[in-house]
Amino acid sequence: METNQCNTPVTLAPASPSRVDLASNPAGTIVNIGGTKIGGTDIVVIAGPCAVESWKQLFETAMAVKSSGAKILRGGAFKPRSSPYSFQGLGEEGLKLLAMIQKESGLPLVTEVMDTRQVELVASYADMLQIGSRNMQNFPLLKEAGMCKKPILLKRGMMSTIEEFLLAAEYILNQGNNQVILCERGIRTFETATRNTLDLSAVPMLKRLTHLPVIVDPSHGTGLRWMVPSMSKAALAVGADGLIIEVHYKPEQALCDGNQSLSLDEFDRLMPDLQKIARAIGREIYL
Ligand code: PEP
Ligand code: MN
């Protein structure tokens, strides 16, 4: 059993998961998303808009983030919005646009699935399925995702402990799908200056407990465009295997999460800085 400096055992509670434990695969799991690998020495940046809005929006954003060095495209077709009156996403139309842009750009894509009834449909378009923060403990969805053959990007529930996070991943692995990436995306605290409190300490903790790759979402983690670059750099410094960053070709006109979306130029300026951090810690980002 590992101990930290205070001699407190760093282990999971009695009903601890086993398939996600580092001990079950000490070399670390590498997840293959349509040919792009996350979990090795190389750091991978996923970028794209919060929501798919139109062909032009997705195409311009995708081609720009690709030329800046992003290796996977993100974009939500089914959106979990707090208000039922907010833009809910384009649904299957959005998936079709994603598939078209995937062909044009050559970038693998990740998109969210919110409902067990949509897993098959979303899996027929996406290279990786995202289970969002609000669904981290949607156990039927986790099981369904575990039965599908595509990699799963599991985002930490905004009210979830690290143990609950790992147990949610365990549900997916239990169904035979070990292609799971964990994403720290901020948790709810008393702080209101930022949209969430990005728990970067979760990264080294998760790396100590599990063999699954860990990435960070500084966009939802802060809710603030200007803070995304510094938290992205910090995330790499604490050991994240990748980042998922919201980027929009016209952030001020975005139908969803414009305040936290980087412009194409801001993203382009960030990537060389991230490469420097990666190299300083013996890793690489290919631009
Ligand atoms: C998203 O990635 O757009 C999203 C809704 O993320 P989260 O589930 O972390 O809020
Ligand atoms: Mn978003």
Side-chain angles (χ1 to χ4, degrees):
M1 187 192 300
E2 302 271 3
T3 56
N4 64 17
Q5 281 169 345
C6 304
N7 235 22
T8 314
V10 178
T11 183
L12 296 165
S16 69
S18 58
R19 287 195 165 87
V20 300
D21 276 356
L22 181 59
S24 70
N25 182 11
T29 291
I30 293 183
V31 175
N32 187 334
I33 307 109
T36 296
K37 293 183 178 141
I38 299 189
T41 313
D42 300 342
I43 288 167
V44 171
V45 177
I46 304 170
C50 178
V52 178
E53 298 169 12
S54 67
W55 188 87
K56 185 172 167 58
Q57 171 245 17
L58 194 59
F59 178 77
E60 303 227 345
T61 307
M63 296 318 262
V65 298
K66 182 184 180 184
S67 80
S68 300
K71 295 290 180 276
I72 299 175
L73 176 66
R74 66 149 289 149
F78 296 97
K79 294 303 303 174
R81 303 305 300 277
S82 300
S83 165
Y85 306 114
S86 300
F87 175 60
Q88 302 287 307
L90 296 179
E92 189 168 1
E93 210 44 53
L95 294 177
K96 289 185 178 149
L97 288 174
L98 281 163
M100 279 162 62
I101 307 293
Q102 178 206 41
K103 280 205 188 74
E104 296 265 355
S105 67
L107 290 176
L109 59 95
V110 56
T111 194
E112 179 159 356
V113 61
M114 297 201 299
D115 192 309
T116 50
R117 292 166 296 184
Q118 292 162 346
V119 171
E120 215 178 300
L121 175 74
V122 177
S124 72
Y125 289 94
D127 298 291
M128 176 158 66
L129 272 55
Q130 174 172 322
I131 295 184
S133 187
R134 291 153 190 81
N135 272 317
M136 190 206 81
Q137 285 190 317
N138 179 338
F139 301 115
L141 184 59
L142 296 172
K143 288 184 192 165
E144 199 70 29
M147 286 185 262
C148 102
K149 301 272 176 283
K150 292 284 170 80
I152 308 296
L153 176 60
L154 180 64
K155 300 187 87 175
R156 181 179 181 182
M158 61 185 86
M159 310 282 273
S160 299
T161 64
I162 286 171
E163 183 179 16
E164 288 163 340
F165 192 14
L166 288 170
L167 287 166
E170 185 83 2
Y171 267 90
I172 302 172
L173 269 67
N174 259 341
Q175 300 298 320
N177 187 351
N178 73 343
Q179 292 284 285
V180 177
I181 296 173
L182 302 174
C183 178
E184 163 58 39
R185 49 77 71 203
I187 51 175
R188 279 216 167 150
T189 66
F190 53 81
E191 184 56 72
T192 55
T194 46
R195 181 177 179 183
N196 290 287
T197 297
L198 187 59
D199 180 12
L200 287 183
S201 66
V203 177
M205 182 58 85
L206 286 167
K207 299 297 289 181
R208 191 181 179 96
L209 295 174
T210 181
H211 54 83
L212 297 174
V214 179
I215 70 168
V216 168
D217 174 349
S219 309
H220 295 86
T222 64
L224 301 165
R225 179 183 313 140
W226 62 266
M227 204 185 278
V228 167
S230 44
M231 297 313 278
S232 300
K233 290 179 233 174
L236 298 194
V238 295
D241 297 302
L243 294 164
I244 180 165
I245 301 178
E246 287 186 340
V247 181
H248 196 286
Y249 81 138
K250 291 177 181 168
E252 63 292 342
Q253 288 175 24
L255 296 180
C256 186
D257 287 349
N259 287 344
Q260 65 193 36
S261 299
L262 295 186
S263 67
L264 305 182
D265 281 351
E266 286 166 333
F267 182 71
D268 192 55
R269 283 198 295 274
L270 172 61
M271 290 298 281
D273 286 350
L274 295 180
Q275 189 181 53
K276 284 183 209 142
I277 303 275
R279 289 180 176 167
I281 55 171
R283 302 186 79 170
E284 187 56 88
I285 295 185
Y286 293 100
L287 301 183

